[in-house]
C-alpha cells in the first residue's frame, strides 16, 4: 500500500504524519524546538536543531508505523512562512539563525524604505504592506549585520529563503533549491502579477537575486529525498505550501469566497478570491494561494501576531492556567457582566492595524475582575482579532454572509468557538482532523502523483457552531473591543 509522509514545520515545533491511500492520518509525531528570544524581544530558531528534529521524527515514524520504506510514495511539506534565513550554498550550513516571522528587527529597514517613498511600490508589486513581519526585511537585516554575508551573497555563495526552501535543499543534499508560489508571495520580493522574483524589489531590500531559489508549482516536483538514509530509496517531494495555504487547501477552500482561519501561535485568515487578485487598502493583503494544475489562485489574507500565543501567555507567564485546556471551563465560569478587554499587542498589532509600536494592555478591569475574567478576556481577544479581519474581507469581496472553516489547537475550545461564531455572526465549521496544514501539503502531493482524486476533499467531518448572540449584545461587545484597540494605537 502506498503512503504519504506529511511534514509541518511550524513555529513551535515540527510534526510528521503518515497518511494512507485514503488520506487518513495513521500516525502523528512531533518535537518542539527552542524559541530563542533576546532582550530586544527578537525571536530566532536554530535551523540545525529543526533539521535534526525532522530526521529523528521520520526515523521514529518509520519505526513506530512498522511499514516498509518501500511503501512511501511521496512527501508533502508545509512550513511557517515569513520566517527567513540564509545558508551556505556549498555546505548547506546556516550562516545565522532563522529569524522568526514574529520578529520585528527589520523595523528600521522598513522605515528607511518608507522614507524613500517606496512603500507603495512594494504594496503594488507584492500585495503586501511594507512591514518587518515579512521575509525581505529580515533577510536585509542579515545582509547588513552578519559579517561577510553580503559579499559572499553577491558571488552566489549564499542561499536565502523561507524554511521550506532550506528543508528542500537539505533533504535533497543540495540538489534542489526550490520554493513554491505560496511561500514566495510572502517574502515581499516576489511580484504577484508577473509571478516572478522582482528585480526592483530585490534592489530596494538589498537582496542579490542570485541568492533566491527557483519558484515551483505548489504540487510540482521539489527533488527527491531518503531522509539521510532512513528510506531504502529516494522518494519525490511533490507538495510544498506555506502552513496557512496548506490549511486553506486541506479545508477544501478551493473556490472563490471560501474562507478559513488557522489558530496557531498567531493566526492567518484567508479567503480564496480566484484567478484574479483583489487589492485592498483596508489593512488586509493580497497573496497567492498556490499554483496547482498549472493555475494560480489568489487570496485575501489578514495576519494576527498573537492568538494561540495568548493562551500560552496566560499559562506560562501569568500562571493563570495549569494547562491550555482549563481555559474553556474558566471562561464559562467567568462573570458574564465583566467586560475587561485584553489587547495582545506583545509585538505590535498585525492586520488590520499594522502598528509595530503598539503595546499590549488590559482595559476595563473592575475590582471584581479576577482570574477567570482575565482568561475569558484573553480568549475573547482571539475572536475579536479574527472578526476584525473577516469583516474587512466581507467588504472587499462584497459578501453579505460567510462561512468560516477553522483549524488549529484552540479550536478544541468549545467556548471560544461559540463566541467566535457569535461575535463574527458567521457559521463556523471545525474539522475533526486538526493538522490541516500538513493535510493540505500531503493532499497536494497525493493528488500530484495520482494517489488521491478530488473525492479526498469530501471526506472531512465537521462540527458546526451557529450564532446565538443577540445583535444588540454583539454590537456592544465589539464596539468595546474597537474602543480598547484605539487606546493602544
Amino acid at each position: 500500500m502506498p503512503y504519504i509522509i506529511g511534514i509541518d514545520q511550524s513555529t513551535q515545533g515540527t510534526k510528521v504524519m503518515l497518511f494512507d491511500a485514503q488520506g487518513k492520518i495513521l500516525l502523528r509525531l512531533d518535537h518542539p524546538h527552542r524559541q530563542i528570544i533576546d532582550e530586544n524581544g527578537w525571536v530566532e530558531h536554530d535551523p540545525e536543531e529543526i533539521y535534526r528534529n525532522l530526521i529523528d521524527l521520520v526515523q521514529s515514524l518509520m519505526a513506530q508505523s512498522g511499514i516498509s520504506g518501500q511503501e512511501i510514495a511521496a512527501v508533502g511539506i508545509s512550513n511557517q512562512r515569513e520566517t527567513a534565513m540564509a545558508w551556505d550554498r556549498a555546505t548547506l550550513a546556516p550562516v545565522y539563525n532563522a529569524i522568526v516571522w514574529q520578529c520585528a528587527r527589520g523595523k528600521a529597514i522598513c522605515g528607511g524604505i518608507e522614507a524613500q517613498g517606496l512603500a507603495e511600490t512594494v504594496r503594488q508589486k507584492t500585495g503586501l504592506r511594507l512591514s518587518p513581519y515579512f521575509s525581505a526585511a529580515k533577510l536585509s537585516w542579515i545582509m547588513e549585520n552578519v559579517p561577510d554575508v553580503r559579499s559572499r551573497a553577491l558571488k552566489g555563495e549564499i542561499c536565502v529563503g523561507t524554511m521550506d526552501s532550506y528543508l528542500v535543499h537539505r533533504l535533497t543534499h543540495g540538489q534542489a533549491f526550490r520554493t513554491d508560489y505560496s511561500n514566495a508571495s510572502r517574502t515581499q520580493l516576489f511580484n504577484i502579477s508577473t509571478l516572478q522574483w522582482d528585480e526592483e524589489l530585490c534592489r530596494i531590500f538589498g537582496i542579490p537575486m542570485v541568492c533566491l531559489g527557483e519558484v515551483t508549482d505548489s504540487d510540482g516536483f521539489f527533488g527527491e529525498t531518503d531522509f539521510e538514509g532512513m528510506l531504502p530509496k529516494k522518494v519525490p517531494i511533490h507538495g510544498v505550501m506555506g502552513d496557512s495555504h496548506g490549511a486553506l487547501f486541506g479545508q477544501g477552500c478551493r473556490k472563490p469566497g471560501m474562507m478559513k482561519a488557522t489558530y496557531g501561535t498567531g493566526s492567518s485568515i484567508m479567503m480564496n478570491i480566484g484567478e484574479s487578485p483583489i487589492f485592498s487598502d483596508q489593512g488586509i493583503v493580497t497573496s497567492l494561494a498556490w499554483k496547482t494544475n498549472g493555475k494560480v489562485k489568489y487570496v485575501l489574507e489578514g495576519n494576527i501576531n498573537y492568538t494561540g500565543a495568548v493562551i500560552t501567555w496566560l499559562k506560562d507567564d501569568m500562571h493563570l492556567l495549569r494547562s491550555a485546556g482549563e481555559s474553556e471551563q474558566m471562561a464559562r465560569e467567568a462573570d458574564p457582566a465583566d467586560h475587561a478587554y485584553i489587547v495582545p499587542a506583545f509585538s505590535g498589532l498585525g492586520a488590520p492595524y499594522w502598528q509595530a509600536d503598539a503595546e499590549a494592555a488590559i482595559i476595563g478591569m473592575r475590582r471584581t475582575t479576577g482570574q477567570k475574567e482575565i482568561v475569558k478576556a484573553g480568549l475573547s481577544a482571539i475572536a475579536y482579532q479574527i472578526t476584525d479581519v473577516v469583516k474587512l474581507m466581507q467588504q472587499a469581496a462584497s459578501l453579505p454572509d460567510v462561512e468560516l472553516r477553522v483549524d488549529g489547537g484552540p479550536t478544541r475550545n468549545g467556548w471560544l468557538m461559540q463566541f467566535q461564531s457569535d461575535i463574527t455572526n458567521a457559521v463556523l465549521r471545525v474539522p475533526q482532523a486538526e493538522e490541516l496544514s500538513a493535510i493540505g501539503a500531503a493532499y497536494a502531493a497525493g493528488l500530484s502523483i495520482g494517489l488521491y482524486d478530488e473525492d479526498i476533499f469530501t471526506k472531512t467531518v465537521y462540527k458546526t457552531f451557529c450564532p446565538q448572540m443577540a445583535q444588540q449584545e454583539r454590537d456592544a461587545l465589539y464596539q468595546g473591543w474597537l474602543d480598547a484597540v484605539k487606546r493602544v494605537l
Side-chain angles (χ1 to χ4, degrees), residues 137 139 144 149 242 281 286 375-376 476:
L139 295 173
E144 291 182 8
V149 169
D281 58 1
T286 307
V375 169
K376 185 187 79 165

Side-chain angles (χ1 to χ4, degrees), residues 191-356:
N191 189 314
I192 64 170
S193 297
T194 65
L195 303 179
Q196 294 178 332
W197 297 120
D198 191 276
E199 186 174 351
E200 183 179 13
L201 292 172
C202 289
R203 185 169 63 251
I204 288 171
F205 286 98
I207 310 298
M209 292 187 72
V210 70
C211 298
L212 296 165
E214 180 181 349
V215 184
T216 302
D217 288 12
S218 306
D219 60 352
F221 176 67
F222 289 81
E224 294 181 315
T225 184
D226 59 5
F227 294 102
E228 303 289 349
M230 295 299 161
L231 303 180
K233 62 180 178 64
K234 290 184 177 182
V235 297
I237 303 169
H238 253 297
V240 172
M241 294 183 182
D243 50 10
S244 295
H245 309 257
L248 188 75
F249 194 83
Q251 288 272 27
C253 296
R254 299 185 300 147
K255 296 179 180 179
M258 299 185 76
M259 181 185 298
K260 71 91 197 175
T262 295
Y263 294 70
T265 303
S267 278
S268 161
I269 303 93
M270 275 186 174
M271 176 189 287
N272 188 325
I273 55 174
E275 295 181 23
S276 299
I278 297 173
F279 293 95
S280 170
D281 58 1
Q282 298 298 311
I284 52 178
V285 302
T286 307
S287 294
L288 295 173
W290 48 68
K291 185 180 181 186
T292 57
N293 296 320
K295 292 184 178 180
V296 164
K297 292 291 179 70
Y298 289 87
V299 290
L300 289 175
E301 180 172 7
N303 298 101
I304 299 165
N305 294 347
Y306 274 81
T307 50
V310 174
I311 301 173
T312 303
W313 172 72
L314 291 168
K315 178 173 68 75
D316 295 346
D317 298 287
M318 300 301 290
H319 305 293
L320 298 178
L321 299 168
R322 287 173 296 182
S323 68
E326 284 186 334
S327 62
E328 178 174 351
Q329 189 60 34
M330 292 181 73
R332 294 188 187 280
E333 295 174 357
D335 180 0
D338 187 277
H339 295 317
Y341 290 87
I342 294 177
V343 183
F346 298 108
S347 56
L349 284 173
Y353 307 103
W354 295 104
Q355 289 290 329

Side-chain angles (χ1 to χ4, degrees), residues 43-63:
V43 191
E44 299 177 358
H45 292 158
D46 178 355
E48 289 284 1
E49 178 188 6
I50 288 173
Y51 184 71
R52 287 196 306 271
N53 287 347
L54 172 58
I55 297 302
D56 290 346
L57 284 166
V58 172
Q59 183 178 28
S60 298
L61 185 83
M62 298 307 298

Side-chain angles (χ1 to χ4, degrees), residues 51-102:
Y51 184 71
R52 287 196 306 271
N53 287 347
L54 172 58
I55 297 302
D56 290 346
L57 284 166
V58 172
Q59 183 178 28
S60 298
L61 185 83
M62 298 307 298
Q64 292 185 33
S65 68
I67 69 166
S68 165
Q70 297 281 358
E71 297 174 285
I72 302 300
V75 177
I77 300 174
S78 65
N79 59 285
Q80 52 171 323
R81 296 181 302 168
E82 295 83 3
T83 297
M85 60 173 292
W87 64 97
D88 186 292
R89 187 182 293 269
T91 68
L92 309 182
V95 299
Y96 190 78
N97 279 338
I99 302 177
V100 181
W101 58 270
Q102 294 167 308

